[in-house]
Amino acid sequence: MTGIAAGGTLRTGETAGTGAARDGGAGELVTTDLAVGGMTCAACVARVEKRLGRIEGVTSGVNLATGRARVLHPPEVPVERLVAAVERAGYTAAPLSPGDAGPGAPAEEGADDTEARLRVVLVALLALPVMVVSMVPAAQFLNWQWVCFLLAAPVALWGAESFHRGALRALRHRTATMDTLVSLGVLASFLWSAYALFLGGAGTPGMRMPFSLSAGSADAHVYLEATVGVPLFVLCGRLLETRARRRTGSALRALAELAVKDVSAVDGPEGGGEHRIPVERLLPGGHFLVRPGERVATDGVVVRGGAVLDVSMLTGESVPVEAGPGDRVTGGTLDLGGSLVVRATAVGADTQLARITALVVEAQAGKARAQRLADRVAGVFVPAVLALAVAVTAFWLGAGATAQGAVTTGVAMLVVACPCALGLATPTALLTATGRGAQLGVLIKGPEVLERLREIDTVVLDKTGTLTTGRMRLLDTVTAAGWERGEVLRLAAAVERLSEHPIGRAVVEAAESAGGRELPAAPASAPPPEVGAFVAMAGTGVSGTVGGRRVRVLRPHAATGLPGTLAGVPAEADAAGRTAVVVEVDGAPVAVLVLGDTTRPGAARAVERLHALGLRTVLLTGDGPGAARRVAAELGVGEVHWSASPERKAEVVEELRAAGRVPAVVGDGVNDAVALARAELGIALGTGTDAAIGAAGVTLVRDDILAVVHAVELARRALAVIGSNLTWAFSYNVLLIPVAAVGLLHPMLAALAMSGSSLLVVANSLRLRTWRPRGEGAGSR
């Protein structure tokens, strides 16, 4: 059947079974995504990157929150070698295709948390009685310590098994991770308790142990509460952390879920011969049917019917959009009412939904400068903590402390110092921010773009198609004495209806919008008059016979002498950057129609809010001075550059940078691509050309310039969250490691603090899921 393929197709840029895609032409690097399992902290991230970096020509970025590694490598380096390098570091690895394991769904083992929940429940049943009896002297019955030992043994050996396995795996590769710290802490407290029970006198019937939040020093003291408390709190924290990390990618997964699996294909525009097929078999040019309650299967153009579409999940616009014949529709939008027959224009990886998803995945693979620093610190942090714990234990022994007190102090240091929060501080915030941006119609290509968004101080705005709609509209109708505006417009539209010129379409649209706010129009009941002897004169205008009258719509230079009321209108229109045409009836000028591009509805508000954010605005356009000055005055833009060629636009950007300003350029056309690339940051409208979008760091899916403001505000908010996360992650270790070193922190409380710090970082990042632009109400999705 026409428009339907016989089977599935390989997406552009994919290599089947490897997850590798060319990053450019021949001789350039190849990009491969790997799912990495077994990572638990920032030290793991640093270790994987270091191992991959040992391969010549290979660079990588590893994301703890997503469990992904994005590797750039020469074509001659096979994917199998990359996988082997990760495995030599002590972790699992598998290549990913672009559609596999979306961000926010960590790829490590145990993604299904049923087993993890069961383990936590069983550990809690065993651990809670031990903790209560050990910490409440009044609950300590005869031989309580032996009962607690029997309950603690399975927790120390089976409950903490994942930590022990991770520690052994790291030991085999001569490294240390968070698992090493937790495993050593659990085993040290358990073995010390066993020593105290069997050889140190703690097993004596009737022994009582006082409650203490510090390391303690009594020879008969046992630390079974730490033995069970550390794995219980860390397992609980890890389970909650994993579930919370998945929520950080919920926005992207929601976008992915918009993709339609099956489609009702039809034989042609009339909608006959309907049958369901997999959407992969639909080809450009094929027709499909959309009913109320269904999602549009792929990008296309409506050829029949009418419907109201919910586009909020793609663009953030809460107001439904009407679609009819000739309108473009986007795959994934929801039909709220009405039926459509749509001709597919793009399928698979070429659809807007697929491009949005790919851009967000790309953004979440990068790293901010602060995170790169944190990863470097974490790479040496765990070995340093191990060495410090040994040194502190030796110091207390040398200072005359009991072996129990010294060992317990070392255990507390090991547990409290796990750098989990450090590894999660940036990626969780980045996942959430980029997902939230996608919901608002703002696609940010990476964390470095977020950083540049915060640093810009000047926004350079293109005019046509960016601040203005890029479409001609009738703005004014000036008539000669004795003529009604509605009648003139009806006659002119009748002739222009046969023209394909933008001026003609604007006149016809004005005539059809009866009762419009700005324009007079013919009564809605008046039928379009018939036109005879139609002639289109290139560069001059059109003419035809309407109801026995000869009607011409002409450029001013081709019209006969204008009467006094009309004489100055063309010159005034030209000075304002607008276009004037003269309507003649039977050889006499009866009206001048003034047409021009109009500003976007939210443009003035966007400029105002950019100024409120402390940003300077510059208008940079290829149009003449009249149009440029008019738009600048209307919107409140202070600096204007007109008649700028693409090369001149790039020169203006360079001049701004030379003056010490940090400019972002907002544009939508091919003529803006060079300026977008030269600027500190390029921002392209999603409705613009592929060249503009490719040169930009931010793409605005919404056809709304206010999204520029939203992008800046979101970047500032996201980086503030990242900053607070990293501040907490560093401060937590700086504050609590010394407290543990002087023996003032019980190992169980150390485990609670360590788990709590990770959860605090993730919870802080999750606040970005509900972030709204300033001044936006509940309609901002």
Side-chain angles (χ1 to χ4, degrees), residues 6 45 356 676:
V45 170
I356 291 173
L676 287 167

Side-chain angles (χ1 to χ4, degrees), residues 60-250:
S60 64
V62 180
N63 192 315
L64 177 63
T66 62
R68 277 179 178 248
R70 172 149 291 185
V71 188
L72 297 178
H73 59 97
E76 59 269 19
V77 176
V79 175
E80 292 75 13
R81 187 177 176 188
L82 304 177
V83 171
V86 176
E87 292 174 345
R88 283 196 299 273
Y91 306 93
T92 63
L96 285 170
S97 294
D100 292 343
E108 65 255 20
E109 297 175 8
D112 180 3
D113 57 12
T114 303
E115 181 182 345
R117 288 200 306 269
L118 179 60
R119 185 180 293 265
V120 167
V121 170
L122 294 177
V123 168
L125 291 175
L126 294 169
L128 291 176
V130 176
M131 295 167 61
V132 171
V133 174
S134 298
M135 300 179 67
V136 181
Q140 294 170 2
F141 51 87
L142 186 64
N143 291 322
W144 65 271
Q145 67 272 40
W146 293 103
V147 175
C148 288
F149 181 76
L150 293 175
L151 293 174
V155 175
L157 301 176
W158 170 80
E161 177 195 11
S162 60
F163 306 116
H164 301 325
R165 282 192 288 104
L168 286 174
R169 185 168 60 239
L171 181 61
R172 284 197 301 269
H173 294 87
R174 298 185 297 279
T175 63
T177 67
M178 167 189 165
D179 287 334
T180 305
L181 302 180
V182 175
S183 176
L184 285 175
V186 171
L187 290 177
S189 59
F190 179 69
L191 292 175
W192 176 263
S193 298
Y195 166 79
L197 285 171
F198 287 99
L199 302 174
T204 305
M207 188 272 283
R208 292 289 185 270
M209 188 174 70
F211 172 73
S212 175
L213 292 178
S214 62
S217 60
D219 287 340
H221 204 93
V222 293
Y223 281 99
L224 294 173
E225 73 275 19
T227 299
V228 298
V230 169
L232 175 61
F233 290 138
V234 177
L235 286 172
C236 283
R238 190 173 283 185
L239 176 64
L240 294 173
E241 173 192 308
T242 299
R243 299 178 71 175
R245 281 158 59 183
R246 290 178 189 170
R247 292 175 62 198
T248 63
S250 60

